[in-house]
Amino acid sequence: MADHDFSPPARLVRTRTTDEIELEGSLFEAEASKSTIVIFIHGMFENYHLPLFVDPLASALTAAGFPFLSGNTRAQDYHYFHRKWEGSEFSWELGGGSYEVFSNCLPDLRAWITLGREATGSENVVLVGHSHGALKAAFFASRSATSVGGIALLGPSDDVGMQRTRLADRFSEALEVARNLVDEGRQ
């Protein structure tokens, strides 16, 4: 069996965000670890093991000595029930890409960075985002006090451009409505 016929060795990991949402992922550890961990952020409607290039990326990075962490965000899949913890009890909260509030990427990525650093002892973090995850990596790097050493954007989506095309003449009006809702604290 060739190396590309199966997933590289990894362990299932879970983390909790500051608002107690539990997220799942995989940690691929490198034998001769460098001081930098690479953390992958999936696109909307994907998850930590999709797209299909995650395993080859994990193989290449761990072979080069970089631990690799791929973790879900709340926008995983179309619909998904996340565990929402309250003390030692949890309830199921409906989430997924269909219900995404974009700014929730901040606590999601912060939780993965904390887990990655603690699990591997890595000081530096590089965020790799694919599609909608690329927007999250850039947003996190620009808005968070948690420092990252770099970001790599793989096929970033153009959400604004898609909506501008779709709405045509109504785009300016829709943008104004959205700005007003944000100003009122209604996401």
Side-chain angles (χ1 to χ4, degrees):
M1 185 180 293
D3 286 344
H4 64 275
D5 290 338
F6 60 92
S7 300
R11 64 182 168 107
L12 178 65
V13 291
R14 292 184 175 150
T15 190
R16 286 191 204 170
T17 62
T18 52
D19 58 344
E20 298 297 328
I21 298 293
E22 184 176 281
L23 302 171
E24 305 85 16
S26 288
L27 177 61
F28 302 81
E29 298 183 61
E31 284 189 32
S33 285
K34 301 198 184 280
S35 64
T36 298
I37 183 170
V38 177
I39 299 178
F40 178 75
I41 303 109
H42 62 78
M44 186 179 285
F45 310 127
E46 295 178 335
N47 56 51
Y48 73 91
H49 53 85
L50 290 174
L52 299 177
F53 61 76
V54 170
D55 284 351
L57 183 60
S59 293
L61 287 166
T62 56
F66 294 97
F68 180 76
L69 174 62
S70 182
N72 281 335
T73 68
R74 293 171 220 219
Q76 78 175 85
D77 305 318
Y78 285 88
H79 298 93
Y80 188 84
F81 284 93
H82 297 281
R83 288 181 182 164
K84 167 96 171 146
W85 287 89
E86 294 180 30
S88 62
E89 303 288 322
F90 68 87
S91 58
W92 295 101
E93 182 172 285
L94 181 59
S98 298
Y99 301 93
E100 180 178 41
V101 174
F102 185 80
S103 60
N104 282 337
C105 71
L106 296 175
D108 293 356
L109 299 187
R110 194 173 299 110
W112 285 121
I113 290 169
T114 299
L115 182 135
R117 284 180 169 154
E118 290 174 358
T120 64
S122 299
E123 297 171 21
N124 303 311
V125 172
V126 172
L127 296 177
V128 175
H130 172 248
S131 187
H132 198 65
L135 304 180
K136 292 178 181 184
F139 183 71
F140 183 89
S142 72
R143 295 283 175 102
S144 179
T146 304
S147 65
V148 295
I151 59 174
L153 311 177
L154 307 178
S157 61
D158 179 9
D159 293 357
V160 174
M162 288 186 302
Q163 293 305 319
R164 186 183 309 275
T165 300
R166 182 173 168 260
L167 295 171
D169 295 339
R170 298 174 307 165
F171 178 77
S172 295
E173 178 185 341
L175 188 57
E176 185 63 28
V177 168
R179 286 184 176 137
N180 290 336
L181 289 171
V182 169
D183 289 345
E184 294 171 10
R186 297 170 39 201
Q187 299 179 7

